[in-house]
Amino acid sequence: MRYISTRGSGEVTTSAGAIKQGIAKDGGLFVPEELPILTDAFLSELCALSYPERAAKILYLYLNDDYTEEELLADCREAYSEERFPGGAAPVVRIGDKTEVLELWHGPTCAFKDMALQLMPKLLSRALVKTGEKRTAYILVATSGDTGKAALEGYRDVEKVKISVFYPVSGVSAIQKLQMATQEGSNVTVHSVVGNFDDAQNGVKAIFADKEAIAAVNEKDCFFSSANSINWGRLAPQIAYYISAYCDLVNKGAVAFGEEINVTVPTGNFGNILAAYMAKKMGLPINHLICASNQNSVLTDFFKTGIYDRNRPFYTTVSPSMDILISSNLERLLFYTAGAEVTGKLMAELKQNGRYEISADLLRRLNVVFTGLCCPDDREIRRSIRRTFDLCSGYLADTHTGVALYCAEKYQLLVDRQRTMLIVSTASPYKFSPAVLASLTDEVPADEFDSMRKLSELTGTEIPEKLIGVLNKEVRFDPAKPIKADEMKDTVVAEA
Ligand SMILES: *Cc1c(COP(=O)(O)O)cnc(C)c1O
């Protein structure tokens, strides 16, 4: 399979090249030149397999120019092992008539980023060998919480890579801070940075563009690389769980083989839902995709009006991983529906004006597949969590999943209650304990770990050991010793 840019510069690379390079030279995103087709025979063969086996076979369709099926199977077996995903990587849980939840948070950090970040570093490590790269990839990440920890867990002790994560000293929850401060692994470092997320993010961006820093780490046989969600190596593993979920629905008799389902995805950067779209394009029986947003409803407005406009207020919500105004992966959808030339123009407009408008015809075609819905505020998120808990036998959802539950219910009420709805759940409720607890009671303890314990008592559900366990781990990277943003470059070079 060859990979080309969404902006049509004519650049062509292989799968390992796309994964190593991350972004195309014209600023576009890499997409496969052709789409593999899911035949009925292949799909029914997958139904009989385990999650790692399914994932390896699906990934092989996309990466078969550079990777062997044996390599992918070995990597998937490790990434999605019972040890890392106890009870299975992507289970589907029934919560009501024609309503099923795909739980993507059983990995090491209890959030869905693990599904991609457990595997992607292994693909990158192999890509370096396959492209003849002698140097070590030095991954720099600025994080507001979830991504940093998931990246650390994914890249730790992977050959030919090292990783440094920077988080703002203010703006990361107590548990997230402790998760990162206690990170294990011989190739990891973690720093808190004075300031907010933008300070950390700008610091990392400046290093990526700094010729002196690039030359200095090159002297130490390293080159900078990012763990960005626009890398094809992060997107491809996400296609697998939609196909796997469909197999599980068939296996348990929730749908007949070939019967179409609807899918609701809590969306921020548009990566997760784009993977669902790719699965549909491959031939998976998906009828409609519901793009669920929180109060930052830039995508809801886009699917309603055809205007994408990031010039708007930014809201901080109880679903922080969806507090996003630039949904980078939307570019791939534009490419598939409007072509490279139009995509290039729209992206140039977005860069210049923070806004673009698509044609009425294109909007009509997008609406055949996508509906954008949003949950208007935190109160409605909490009510949705509460309603699900009360009506669905005590099913406990996190705040991001709460947004999806709200939007799915609306779609079922207003449009389609006949087809089975698959709702994607992206985090453990215990990752956002205070807000989840607030959905059920007015008494929320000030301490986050006390909130966890109280949530467990109140609901009779178990706190994941991976979260509460950080209290007993050794702190390796002291959160109380932040560095200044202007010290980041020297720190990165010194630690290369
Ligand atoms: C990242 C994230 C999302 C958003 O996913 P995108 O691929 O960015 O659309 C939703 N929920 C949680 C918990 C996340 O960490």
Side-chain angles (χ1 to χ4, degrees):
M1 183 73 77
R2 301 196 311 169
Y3 284 78
I4 54 175
S5 165
T6 47
R7 298 191 191 173
S9 58
E11 182 180 355
V12 178
T13 185
T14 63
S15 55
I19 289 168
K20 178 184 159 189
Q21 200 177 317
I23 191 159
K25 292 196 184 81
D26 61 0
L29 312 189
F30 284 118
V31 282
E33 198 172 36
E34 295 154 45
L35 268 179
I37 296 300
L38 269 182
T39 61
D40 281 358
F42 182 66
L43 188 56
S44 66
E45 184 191 341
L46 292 179
C47 285
L49 303 177
S50 66
Y51 189 84
E53 291 165 340
R54 287 173 185 168
K57 282 197 181 292
I58 296 158
L59 281 162
Y60 184 62
L61 298 175
Y62 284 100
L63 308 179
N64 58 15
D65 57 338
D66 279 328
Y67 297 77
T68 68
E69 200 169 342
E70 290 71 31
E71 288 172 334
L72 293 171
L73 184 58
D75 289 349
C76 288
R77 283 213 164 113
E78 241 185 75
Y80 305 117
S81 65
E82 180 62 27
E83 188 198 346
R84 295 191 190 197
F85 287 83
V92 179
V93 178
R94 184 179 193 84
I95 62 163
D97 187 34
K98 305 242 176 214
T99 310
E100 307 269 346
V101 176
L102 169 58
E103 295 182 344
L104 300 177
W105 41 264
H106 292 274
T109 75
C110 298
F112 107 98
K113 304 275 189 300
D114 288 333
M115 295 301 297
L117 281 168
Q118 280 297 305
L119 186 65
M120 196 258 182
K122 300 180 198 302
L123 301 179
L124 173 65
S125 177
R126 288 194 194 277
L128 299 182
V129 177
K130 288 171 193 295
T131 57
E133 178 61 64
K134 297 281 182 291
R135 296 169 299 169
T136 295
Y138 190 4
I139 315 273
L140 305 183
V141 181
T143 183
S144 54
D146 272 357
T147 305
K149 177 63 186 178
L152 285 164
E153 274 300 320
Y155 284 95
R156 68 181 264 197
D157 299 323
V158 173
E159 274 175 55
K160 291 184 70 88
V161 268
K162 63 196 312 176
I163 176 166
S164 257
V165 168
F166 299 87
Y167 66 87
V169 72
S170 47
V172 176
S173 77
I175 169 119
Q176 285 172 328
K177 217 174 253 189
L178 209 49
Q179 273 188 309
M180 290 190 274
T182 58
Q183 178 64 43
E184 293 165 7
S186 57
N187 60 342
V188 305
T189 46
V190 178
H191 294 282
S192 62
V193 179
V194 177
N196 58 26
F197 173 64
D198 283 339
D199 296 316
Q201 168 106 316
N202 290 337
V204 165
K205 278 191 184 158
I207 297 170
F208 278 138
D210 189 311
K211 293 209 170 68
E212 208 181 83
I214 292 170
V217 299
N218 189 45
E219 286 288 305
K220 300 184 176 184
D221 279 333
C222 290
F223 69 99
F224 292 129
S225 182
S226 88
N228 214 303
S229 77
I230 54 182
N231 190 306
W232 181 253
R234 267 189 72 175
L235 203 93
Q238 302 190 299
I239 300 171
Y241 51 71
Y242 288 102
I243 299 173
S244 172
Y246 190 83
C247 291
D248 288 343
L249 289 173
V250 169
N251 285 349
K252 65 181 182 173
V255 299
F257 189 93
E259 184 184 337
E260 287 191 332
I261 60 169
N262 294 324
V263 181
T264 302
V265 186
T267 303
N269 208 8
F270 209 75
N272 201 354
I273 194 167
L274 187 92
Y277 175 74
M278 300 294 289
K280 175 175 166 59
K281 271 184 91 69
M282 290 168 74
L284 193 70
I286 292 175
N287 170 63
H288 206 76
L289 295 168
I290 293 91
C291 175
S293 299
N294 63 22
Q295 199 171 354
N296 294 292
S297 57
V298 61
L299 287 166
T300 317
D301 297 344
F302 172 68
F303 284 117
K304 203 171 285 167
T305 64
I307 298 171
Y308 192 97
D309 191 352
R310 60 168 291 211
N311 306 307
R312 58 174 66 215
F314 175 83
Y315 298 103
T316 305
T317 75
V318 291
S319 47
S321 299
M322 296 162 69
D323 292 345
I324 285 175
L325 293 181
I326 300 197
S327 301
S328 313
N329 266 297
L330 190 60
E331 178 168 350
R332 286 192 168 105
L333 177 64
L334 294 174
F335 170 81
Y336 279 112
T337 49
E341 198 183 323
V342 172
T343 303
K345 279 196 192 123
L346 294 176
M347 290 303 112
E349 273 179 54
L350 181 65
K351 189 166 178 198
Q352 200 169 15
N353 309 321
R355 177 188 193 280
Y356 61 79
E357 178 165 7
I358 61 172
S359 71
D361 172 61
L362 178 54
L363 179 60
R364 226 176 355 257
R365 284 188 287 123
L366 289 181
N367 285 148
V368 173
V369 180
F370 289 91
T371 295
L373 293 172
C374 66
C375 188
D377 54 32
D378 286 350
R379 186 165 151 265
E380 286 298 337
I381 297 178
R382 287 193 292 267
R383 287 176 52 159
S384 171
I385 294 170
R386 175 65 188 252
R387 214 163 38 245
T388 305
F389 184 75
D390 288 343
L391 299 178
C392 307
S393 327
Y395 187 81
L396 195 61
D398 94 291
T399 46
H400 305 78
T401 312
V403 171
L405 288 163
Y406 175 94
C407 297
E409 189 181 7
K410 202 162 172 183
Y411 190 80
Q412 284 175 309
L413 281 174
L414 297 177
V415 186
D416 182 359
R417 53 161 86 246
Q418 296 306 315
R419 288 189 184 83
T420 292
M421 176 66 83
L422 184 70
I423 299 165
V424 176
S425 173
T426 49
S428 158
Y430 285 96
K431 192 122 197 213
F432 300 92
S433 299
V436 173
L437 185 60
S439 319
L440 306 177
T441 170
D442 288 337
E443 288 157 38
V444 179
D447 180 90
E448 221 182 308
F449 290 94
D450 287 339
S451 283
M452 272 188 192
R453 295 185 191 98
K454 185 156 179 198
L455 185 61
S456 175
E457 274 166 30
L458 201 66
T459 61
T461 58
E462 246 176 79
I463 308 176
E465 173 54 32
K466 289 169 261 201
L467 291 180
I468 196 83
V470 297
L471 285 174
N472 303 322
K473 279 194 167 171
E474 179 202 351
V475 171
R476 294 182 64 202
F477 307 101
D478 190 351
K481 291 184 185 152
I483 62 172
K484 297 200 191 79
D486 62 11
E487 294 167 343
M488 284 172 64
K489 175 180 155 186
D490 289 344
T491 307
V492 161
V493 170
E495 289 173 352

